[in-house]
Amino acid sequence: MKINMFSSLKKIIEDVNEASNLQQALNIIVHDTRKVMRADAVSVYFRDEKTDQLVLMATEGLNQNAIGKIRFNLDQGLVGLVLRQAEPVNIEDAHSHPNYRFVTETGEVSFHGFLGVPLIQHRHVLGVLVVRQTRKRRFSANEETFLITLAAQLAGAIAYAEKMGELKNLLDDVDTKPFNMKGLIGSPGIAIGKVLVVFPPANLDAVPDNAITAVETDEQIKAFDAAVMKVDHEFRELSKRMEGVISNEELALFDVFALMLKSDSLIGATINRIQAGQWAQGALRDTIAEHVRHFDAMHDAYFRERAVDIKDLGRRILTHLQAQHTSCQEISGPVVLAGEEVTVSQFAEVPVQNLVGIISKKGSATSHVAILCHAMGIPSVMGLDKLPVNRIKGQEIVVDGYGGQIYVKPSPSMLQEYEHIVRKEQTLDAELKELIDKPAETTDGIHIPLYVNSGLLEDITASLNSGAEGVGLYRTEIPFLMADGFPGELEQTQIYQQVLQSFSPRPVTFRTLDIGGDKALPYFPVVEDNPFLGWRGIRIMLDHPEIFLTQIRAILKANIYDDNLRLMLPMITDVSEVDEAIALINKAHEELSAKGIDVPYPAIGLMIEVPSAVYQMTALAKRADFFSVGSNDLTQYLLAVDRNNKQVSDLYNSLHPAVLLSIQQIVKIAHKYHKPVSVCGEMAGDPASALALAGMGIDILSMTAGSLLRVKLAIRSFTIKQLEKLAAEALFMDSAEEIRLLLNKALEDAGAGRLVRAGHR
Ligand code: PEP
Ligand code: MG
């Protein structure tokens, strides 16, 4: 027994270390401990420092619905005694102990044997790990030692989670208490709705916990049984089809599957978990994980292979379960999708008229889903890496895509405030529609063309409807991000043709592939310590001329409508990069001519988004036809602030005087050489910043379609002289805050104060 138990310890600790979050780690601990100690229930309680109470955090054997809800004071019960004494308590019959407390909610009344050990880290008691037995049982000294060893490991994990802020989220009882969290701005706007949790299909590891009510138990068991029947049927069919095709030995595997599908260890164990309060998908996930761990731990390679089979079996059952829509989540009214990593395909889980916002644990503004949100005008907050996805289902939530914040269970006053903003925005949007066909010009008639940023075929309609005069930035990496491998020349040409045709005769600026940094292609991983300072943009393209040439030929060949193509190179830091890239563009053009494909030679522009390029403007102006300021990267590199790091997001500000002074320098030299300059970073779409940019002489502002009419209203509220004066004043100021105040006040004074959102940006 001793050897067995302690050899399991190593495996449990390995599994716990692999858990992706604390809750998952706790679930593994209670599950594995229960099995190894042959106990009837195992539970973990944490001490909530804020309320000085003990909270049930994970259990197997007690009522799952009590998790996060059962709280009691430290002077109560046997668990409290373990915590106060900071020592194990091992009692044959808990009921006879004077400290025994009668609790019905957890179902612990039916247990007698009790062993509780404290979770101690640096002399501080963090919680209690408890093992219970239905019958009277005094746990052995070995078992006590085992549990103490395990508790010491667990305490380390909790202390780490505490440091990382994860514990606070777990302890905050989100079922009853509101909380807010800062993430990364995905796309702007405010959304108010109810949370719908999504997760990738046919992926057991991604299935979230979902506590069910007693009424739902039968329905979940029925759904599970039906899914098992379907898989059984599937295997029979497969087995029949394979007869004579594979050997009898291999065919026998189907019999093994059929037996497993009837086994108590798979079916019975899952049903037990459902009865304990977990939904069918979560129960199946835990049962399969238990089997996989069991097989993985075996020395015999044959048995280890069975872990793969059991996973396959689990996935098949899950697929049928998910096909039955037993999601336990109802969709009505406005919905905010939430998940570990929300994907574009998950958009489809909600009717488009119900979808008002997206929040995701992983991702940033450059994630595909955020880009789509941007195009569709759906507010999103990404990178909420401590989001307790499992525990926010059905909660009311405010998504503030301007500030990258979410508020779960907002207070009535906060809700009122945000509802007011939403109403104001709706009124503004209705008013802005009138501007679609009006020119983007100052009150004294100076035209400042407004273009859109695009990258998805899906957002062409929104871009055209916004009244944009062209595309200032077409991010070609987006079709690459969606593909399974580098798209071929023909495939690329077809995509680019659609874009050029849709916007024709308006100009479309294709930026050549800008990957690296935070934009990793799944099929071309680049692993670096400092990706933003590493192999990015033009650097990768020059090192891979075969990929670059293919893209250039595809872009050039697509230019068959009104010669409305412009080509743009990202991440330029040195003139040699421009010379080499232009040499390759010439080569591609010549290759096409040699094949009899005569296409116009395009205008070539450079993105100015790295400080070295700002200082090399004279040399660059002699080589390029136009410039575009990538203010997102320029801000990040000038201020040394990672644009996707929440820790420093308060320091990231494109109105920083250094950014404005750089842009002034860019415009001055570009204009000296009669080369136009646009801005295609996010700041171009911010009405206040747009005033300063127009006043500094920027020729074109390019932004997400959703921002275009707001910027148009701002521009149409001033004379060019007023804008120039504003820019000149801003350039004399010491801080981004002062500049923001100046520009906001100007908007207010010009009667466009509704473009200034209280407290945002
Ligand atoms: C920028 O850096 O401002 C820009 C427009 O490019 P991206 O955000 O795609 O890096
Ligand atoms: Mg950039």
Side-chain angles (χ1 to χ4, degrees), residues 79-98:
V79 183
L81 181 69
V82 178
L83 189 119
R84 286 196 313 280
Q85 290 188 349
E87 272 191 87
V89 171
N90 188 351
I91 316 165
E92 188 179 358
D93 183 10
H95 288 221
S96 62
H97 194 280

Side-chain angles (χ1 to χ4, degrees), residues 333-588:
V335 164
V336 171
L337 278 191
E340 288 280 330
E341 188 163 21
V342 179
T343 61
V344 168
S345 56
Q346 285 167 342
F347 265 55
E349 299 218 2
V350 182
V352 74
Q353 67 274 14
N354 292 81
L355 181 65
V356 294
I358 304 263
I359 58 170
S360 181
K361 257 178 117 152
K362 295 193 186 142
S364 67
T366 50
S367 303
H368 187 190
V369 80
I371 292 166
L372 192 62
C373 281
H374 228 133
M376 292 171 69
I378 297 172
S380 62
V381 176
M382 315 294 288
L384 291 156
D385 48 13
K386 301 289 180 297
L387 186 71
V389 177
N390 281 343
R391 307 179 66 196
I392 52 171
K393 182 193 78 169
Q395 300 287 354
E396 176 139 61
I397 187 171
V398 171
V399 180
D400 179 348
Y402 296 120
Q405 286 268 3
I406 60 162
Y407 302 88
V408 177
K409 287 207 106 192
S411 63
S413 62
M414 177 176 286
L415 197 58
Q416 233 178 6
E417 197 184 307
Y418 274 103
E419 278 167 350
H420 181 64
I421 298 178
V422 169
R423 272 196 303 277
K424 263 182 24 190
E425 297 217 324
Q426 283 165 348
T427 317
L428 177 62
D429 285 340
E431 177 198 343
L432 289 173
K433 286 217 169 74
E434 312 273 304
L435 293 183
I436 291 177
D437 298 320
K438 301 239 165 77
E441 57 183 34
T442 55
T443 49
D444 52 346
I446 301 298
H447 179 207
I448 298 170
L450 303 183
Y451 284 19
V452 281
N453 295 345
S454 180
L456 286 169
L457 292 176
E458 291 92 324
D459 63 13
I460 291 178
T461 317
S463 301
L464 287 169
N465 289 345
S466 70
E469 294 175 56
V471 178
L473 168 64
Y474 184 85
R475 292 183 162 102
T476 60
E477 58 275 6
I478 296 173
F480 280 72
L481 283 168
M482 290 159 68
D484 296 326
F486 283 106
E489 192 168 320
L490 180 65
E491 198 183 329
Q492 287 189 53
T493 307
Q494 285 166 347
I495 298 172
Y496 304 148
Q497 263 177 6
Q498 271 193 59
V499 183
L500 284 168
Q501 186 181 26
S502 307
F503 284 95
S504 163
R506 285 163 280 214
V508 178
T509 316
F510 280 90
R511 175 171 76 185
T512 62
L513 196 57
D514 184 21
I515 50 172
D518 59 342
K519 289 176 274 196
L521 297 178
Y523 47 89
F524 188 72
V526 178
V527 182
E528 295 173 308
D529 280 348
N530 290 304
F532 276 118
L533 301 181
W535 210 36
R536 274 198 78 179
I538 196 72
R539 299 172 182 178
I540 298 187
M541 288 302 96
L542 294 177
D543 288 346
H544 276 283
E546 76 289 9
I547 300 172
F548 190 65
L549 284 168
T550 306
Q551 183 179 41
I552 300 294
R553 282 194 304 268
I555 295 176
L556 294 180
K557 277 199 294 191
N559 188 15
I560 51 171
Y561 301 98
D562 287 283
D563 189 13
N564 56 338
L565 162 73
R566 301 173 359 133
L567 205 54
M568 185 158 81
L569 306 172
M571 264 296 283
I572 296 298
T573 57
D574 191 275
V575 287
S576 66
E577 290 162 344
V578 182
D579 293 340
E580 286 170 39
I582 291 179
L584 287 170
I585 295 168
N586 293 342
K587 184 167 182 238

Side-chain angles (χ1 to χ4, degrees), residues 366 453 473 475 477 511 514 518-519 532 536 568 570 607-609 628-635 643 652 679-682:
T366 50
N453 295 345
L473 168 64
R475 292 183 162 102
E477 58 275 6
R511 175 171 76 185
D514 184 21
D518 59 342
K519 289 176 274 196
F532 276 118
R536 274 198 78 179
M568 185 158 81
M607 284 196 75
I608 304 299
E609 45 186 354
S628 191
V629 180
S631 55
N632 305 340
D633 276 317
L634 188 60
T635 305
R643 61 197 239 188
Y652 183 92
V679 172
C680 62
E682 290 301 312

Side-chain angles (χ1 to χ4, degrees), residues 136-332:
K136 291 179 186 166
R137 169 183 179 186
R138 188 174 173 87
F139 289 89
S140 71
N142 266 342
E143 286 169 323
E144 212 176 296
T145 318
F146 168 81
L147 210 62
I148 290 171
T149 318
L150 189 62
Q153 301 282 344
L154 179 55
I158 300 168
Y160 178 73
E162 192 167 26
K163 204 169 121 222
M164 302 305 288
E166 195 183 347
L167 189 60
K168 185 180 167 298
N169 293 331
L170 275 184
L171 281 171
D172 275 343
D173 186 354
V174 292
D175 287 345
T176 52
K177 284 201 194 112
F179 74 97
N180 56 0
M181 198 176 276
K182 193 160 170 56
L184 297 166
I185 296 170
S187 47
I190 306 288
I192 302 172
K194 289 250 160 56
V195 175
L196 181 96
V197 175
V198 287
F199 47 95
N203 180 350
L204 275 166
D205 295 333
V207 169
D209 282 336
N210 205 347
I212 51 170
T213 59
V215 187
E216 288 165 326
T217 308
D218 278 351
E219 182 201 309
Q220 290 291 306
I221 293 178
K222 263 194 214 135
F224 175 66
D225 285 341
V228 170
M229 295 258 289
K230 287 220 168 86
V231 175
D232 190 41
H233 180 72
E234 238 169 56
F235 279 135
R236 278 177 214 281
E237 291 287 303
L238 267 175
S239 163
K240 252 192 250 157
R241 245 185 287 153
M242 290 299 177
E243 250 171 65
V245 181
I246 57 174
S247 72
N248 282 350
E249 244 169 57
E250 284 163 327
L251 262 183
L253 195 60
F254 288 108
D255 297 333
V256 177
F257 278 145
L259 278 178
M260 277 189 191
L261 285 172
K262 292 189 179 59
S263 73
D264 203 40
S265 65
L266 189 77
I267 308 303
T270 306
I271 291 179
N272 282 346
R273 287 188 166 95
I274 299 174
Q275 281 165 340
Q278 180 65 273
W279 71 323
Q281 296 188 30
L284 174 71
R285 172 203 64 198
D286 291 345
T287 306
I288 297 294
E290 180 187 2
H291 279 71
V292 168
R293 278 199 294 278
H294 179 71
F295 282 123
D296 268 348
M298 294 190 174
H299 293 296
D300 189 322
Y302 173 82
F303 282 113
R304 279 207 307 277
E305 269 303 301
R306 296 289 70 80
V308 179
D309 296 334
I310 206 77
K311 270 190 213 163
D312 179 41
L313 192 66
R315 234 187 336 261
R316 282 169 187 269
I317 302 175
L318 182 71
T319 307
H320 287 295
L321 259 180
Q322 291 179 333
Q324 296 177 53
H325 299 293
T326 48
S327 68
C328 296
Q329 301 190 85
E330 304 227 326
I331 296 172
S332 64

Side-chain angles (χ1 to χ4, degrees), residues 181-186 363-365 381-385 400-406 632 635-636 639-656 736-737 740 759-761:
M181 198 176 276
K182 193 160 170 56
L184 297 166
I185 296 170
S364 67
V381 176
M382 315 294 288
L384 291 156
D385 48 13
D400 179 348
Y402 296 120
Q405 286 268 3
I406 60 162
N632 305 340
T635 305
Q636 130 163 303
L639 306 185
V641 179
D642 177 346
R643 61 197 239 188
N644 291 330
N645 183 342
K646 288 195 296 280
Q647 291 286 103
V648 288
S649 60
D650 287 347
L651 299 174
Y652 183 92
N653 196 328
S654 295
L655 280 178
H656 191 288
E737 291 70 32
R740 168 67 65 192
H760 296 304
R761 281 198 176 177

